[in-house]
Amino acid sequence: MKIKVPYLVARPGAAGATRYFWQPASRLRDLGWKTERLVKPDGTPAATLDEAIELAKAKNEQLAAWRRGERTGGEPELPAPVPEVRPGTVAHAIRLYKASPRYLKNAAKTQADYAKCLAKIEAWAGNAPVKAITRELVQDYYEALMKTGRHAQANATIRVLRILLKYSWDKGLTSHNAAEKPGLIGTAPRLRIWSDEEIDTFVAAADAQGWHSVGDAVIYGVYWGQRQGDLLAMLEIQFQPDAFGTRRLRLRQSKRKAWIDIPAHPRVLARWEAQQARRTADGVKAPTILWQDTVKRPWKADNFRHVFGELRAAAAETVPSIATAQYMDTRDTAVTKLAEAGCTIPQICAITGHDEDDAYKILRHYMAITGEMADAALAKLLAHEEQKRAAGGTNS
């Protein structure tokens, strides 16, 4: 049954129960309104649709009063006005940079990551003239960031500061880049591989709670090796039949702009076929390969991460190790599976979309040294030695 009360959504919960939420539109979320579970005055969640409808109507009335300029005490505070900044300051440089093609050419995810770093930089030295930023100040700032223990974030912030100061130099706001070659301390890249048990357990938990699309996303991530942003944006039309009676995924990656042409793994094809049955049965109109199961529309990244986290917690009750898994780890898992199967670097790149010139980086960043790889290496050595003996040669 379609719910007609604005912003009221139903989501499947454990053991077949339904959970009800008030979920405002994105423009309202930008103004501070948040998605919240509908609960009665005694603190218990709405158990029936009728209860949820009454609670959602009350929330909508609060929203209507806010729009009329009335204050009821439950509305969010309006964002503070952006203060004016003095020309030539770091804050001024940040605003210029964020409006420039150099910033806007980046993918949305990259812009969001840069924006977080730029906010930290502005909090640190927003009112200071750009030309007053010295190497000593940058090093002091870096050391302070490193002392927080968040080394990867510290490095990311200084890298963005270097980009900002290079832009400022080009714009004539300073005569030097105080963050050039800052001597960052290297941090080990995250490398977390999903085990087969973890994959199966997570997918089973997603299916059991009605979030089939999230289970599909994990399978697609493991066998396609694509980033979350590209996966959520993939269109149905990009997964086309081929000459061999199966299907191929064809897309251009948003980050590297690499063209991908991937044949379907049998497990991918099985999930897709089940997906098509749901698409027909539920009358889904979303053009994307994946869609949000409750509202039947394309996923939004924040919503996907939230649901993924809930399902991970549920799956961790059966397999505790899943608690440390992240969706981005499916990309590492895809590369490692291909490596364990004996694929060459160019073959791996053909799936993941990495540039072949980065082959050694891929080896260092993605290829976990696993027992399966060692077994495969020894098997190849033994086979080679047997071939030499059969040919009458000797082993050194």
Side-chain angles (χ1 to χ4, degrees):
M1 179 179 67
K2 185 175 181 180
I3 300 175
K4 297 183 179 180
V5 179
Y7 312 130
L8 172 59
V9 298
R11 298 175 182 169
T18 301
R19 299 179 301 166
Y20 297 98
F21 293 82
W22 187 78
Q23 180 175 297
S26 60
R27 64 184 184 279
L28 293 174
R29 293 197 296 271
D30 291 341
L31 293 172
W33 293 88
K34 301 182 182 301
T35 298
E36 60 184 71
R37 189 165 184 182
L38 291 170
V39 297
K40 294 180 287 187
D42 63 2
T44 59
T48 66
L49 178 58
D50 288 341
E51 290 178 351
I53 288 174
E54 291 304 313
L55 292 168
K57 286 181 177 178
K59 193 68 182 177
N60 287 338
E61 177 52 39
Q62 183 184 55
L63 174 62
W66 174 79
R67 284 170 166 159
R68 294 193 297 267
E70 302 171 10
R71 298 185 63 83
T72 63
E75 66 280 342
E77 293 292 332
L78 288 174
V82 178
E84 293 186 10
V85 297
R86 290 182 292 111
T89 61
V90 171
H92 179 232
I94 289 173
R95 282 153 180 74
L96 291 176
Y97 172 59
K98 291 181 73 173
S100 73
R102 292 193 198 181
Y103 179 83
L104 297 175
K105 71 177 178 61
N106 293 310
K109 177 65 167 58
T110 302
Q111 290 185 34
D113 291 341
Y114 280 20
K116 293 177 183 177
C117 294
L118 291 168
K120 292 180 182 179
I121 292 167
E122 183 166 353
W124 165 62
N127 292 327
V130 180
K131 61 184 178 182
I133 303 299
T134 64
R135 289 192 67 81
E136 183 180 6
L137 287 174
V138 171
Q139 289 302 311
D140 289 345
Y141 181 46
Y142 180 45
E143 290 175 9
L145 291 172
M146 291 293 282
K147 287 178 181 178
T148 66
R150 299 177 178 179
H151 296 174
Q153 289 185 17
N155 284 350
T157 302
I158 298 302
R159 290 190 186 101
V160 173
L161 176 59
R162 181 178 61 202
I163 293 170
L164 175 67
L165 294 182
K166 174 62 169 65
Y167 175 79
S168 301
W169 188 1
D170 293 342
K171 295 293 288 185
L173 300 179
T174 183
S175 60
H176 63 287
N177 184 347
E180 187 67 26
K181 297 181 179 179
L184 301 183
I185 300 172
T187 58
R190 175 184 171 85
L191 180 60
R192 186 4 177 124
I193 309 302
W194 288 60
S195 69
D196 290 342
E197 180 186 28
E198 289 172 340
I199 295 168
D200 294 342
T201 301
F202 184 95
V203 172
D207 287 344
Q209 295 197 27
W211 292 106
H212 305 285
S213 182
V214 185
D216 294 338
V218 167
I219 295 299
Y220 296 166
V222 167
Y223 291 101
W224 280 340
Q226 302 304 307
R227 298 176 182 84
Q228 178 184 302
D230 284 334
L231 186 69
L232 298 184
M234 287 178 188
L235 300 176
E236 181 84 0
I237 197 172
Q238 292 175 285
F239 194 41
Q240 288 293 314
D242 62 15
F244 303 100
T246 182
R247 286 180 175 267
R248 303 182 72 89
L249 177 71
R250 296 181 174 92
L251 75 143
R252 190 181 188 190
Q253 292 180 326
S254 60
K255 185 172 183 178
R256 287 184 171 267
K257 308 304 180 185
W259 284 101
I260 300 298
D261 186 356
I262 310 173
H265 186 281
R267 196 168 184 187
V268 167
L269 197 58
R271 294 294 299 191
W272 182 82
E273 288 173 348
Q275 202 178 27
Q276 293 309 295
R278 295 197 307 275
R279 180 184 286 275
T280 301
D282 297 342
V284 176
K285 303 299 183 183
T288 48
I289 289 179
L290 298 173
W291 62 85
Q292 210 268 24
D293 296 85
T294 57
V295 298
K296 310 297 187 295
R297 291 195 294 268
W299 280 100
K300 295 194 179 292
D302 288 344
N303 188 215
F304 179 86
R305 283 191 289 269
H306 176 74
V307 175
F308 177 88
E310 289 186 342
L311 293 174
R312 178 180 56 196
E317 295 178 4
T318 303
V319 179
S321 62
I322 296 180
T324 64
Q326 297 181 19
Y327 184 80
M328 68 178 181
D329 300 329
T330 61
R331 185 163 163 83
D332 295 357
T333 305
V335 176
T336 304
K337 278 182 171 292
L338 292 166
E340 289 175 349
C343 295
T344 65
I345 291 297
Q347 288 170 335
I348 292 173
C349 292
I351 296 290
T352 65
H354 288 89
D355 193 307
E356 291 184 18
D357 292 340
D358 294 334
Y360 289 107
K361 292 181 181 179
I362 296 171
L363 277 168
R364 291 168 55 192
H365 187 93
Y366 287 112
M367 283 190 178
I369 305 303
T370 65
E372 288 85 349
M373 289 183 186
D375 292 343
L378 180 59
K380 287 183 177 181
L381 175 61
L382 292 173
H384 175 68
E385 292 175 345
E386 181 61 32
Q387 287 176 352
K388 287 180 67 176
R389 282 193 293 270
T394 58
N395 294 322
S396 58

